Amino acid sequence: MFLLLMATTESQATEPDWQVLPDTCVVDKPGDLCTMSLTISARSLPNDTYCLYLADQKLECWQTIKQSFQTTIRYGQNSRLALVNSRDYVVLSADLKIKTLQSPQGRRRVRSPWSIF
């Protein structure tokens, strides 16, 4: 029983993990492009060649990935950042969001367009 518990703890400790900061970009109005610098911290990645993808576009590739690195990206809508190994398997992924300061075009009507009175 103790060996089984120890084996599952070791396998959980070696699972790849990463942290992508920031994961949200704030733009002035809807449709604006977001350009931001990301800090990516990766842990427990086996030795392999990795490529970073934004949506389906390849950004960078590395023979050996560093524990922490920075990259600058540009995107115009909510997207997915993915780390893909040499066998085209998505090892890790993170969602990147865009928030706008201005509300979408058009005004909301507060009351009904007609009234009996």
Side-chain angles (χ1 to χ4, degrees):
M1 176 99 159
F2 177 70
L3 291 175
L4 179 62
L5 180 62
M6 200 165 93
T8 57
T9 304
E10 286 178 13
S11 69
Q12 290 173 351
T14 59
E15 287 184 24
D17 185 32
W18 73 346
Q19 183 177 26
V20 178
L21 293 174
D23 66 349
T24 304
C25 183
V26 179
V27 295
D28 287 332
K29 59 185 184 288
D32 283 355
L33 286 177
C34 171
T35 301
M36 69 180 187
S37 179
L38 293 177
T39 300
I40 300 172
S41 302
R43 294 177 290 280
S44 303
L45 287 172
N47 289 336
D48 201 350
T49 300
Y50 294 97
C51 292
L52 188 66
Y53 285 82
L54 179 63
D56 290 326
Q57 179 185 3
K58 187 187 294 188
L59 301 176
E60 298 180 58
C61 292
W62 305 272
Q63 291 291 337
T64 54
I65 197 163
K66 301 176 197 171
Q67 292 261 338
S68 181
F69 60 95
Q70 288 191 331
T71 188
T72 302
I73 63 168
R74 188 175 180 156
Y75 62 105
Q77 61 187 4
N78 293 343
S79 297
R80 181 169 290 251
L81 192 68
L83 191 65
V84 178
N85 66 11
S86 61
R87 293 174 298 285
D88 288 333
Y89 176 75
V90 176
V91 178
L92 299 166
S93 66
D95 292 324
L96 300 176
K97 299 175 270 313
I98 289 187
K99 301 284 184 183
T100 58
L101 294 176
Q102 293 180 2
S103 60
Q105 295 294 337
R107 293 180 49 177
R108 279 191 11 212
R109 204 176 240 313
V110 177
R111 62 186 181 105
S112 298
W114 57 271
S115 175
I116 298 175
F117 302 103

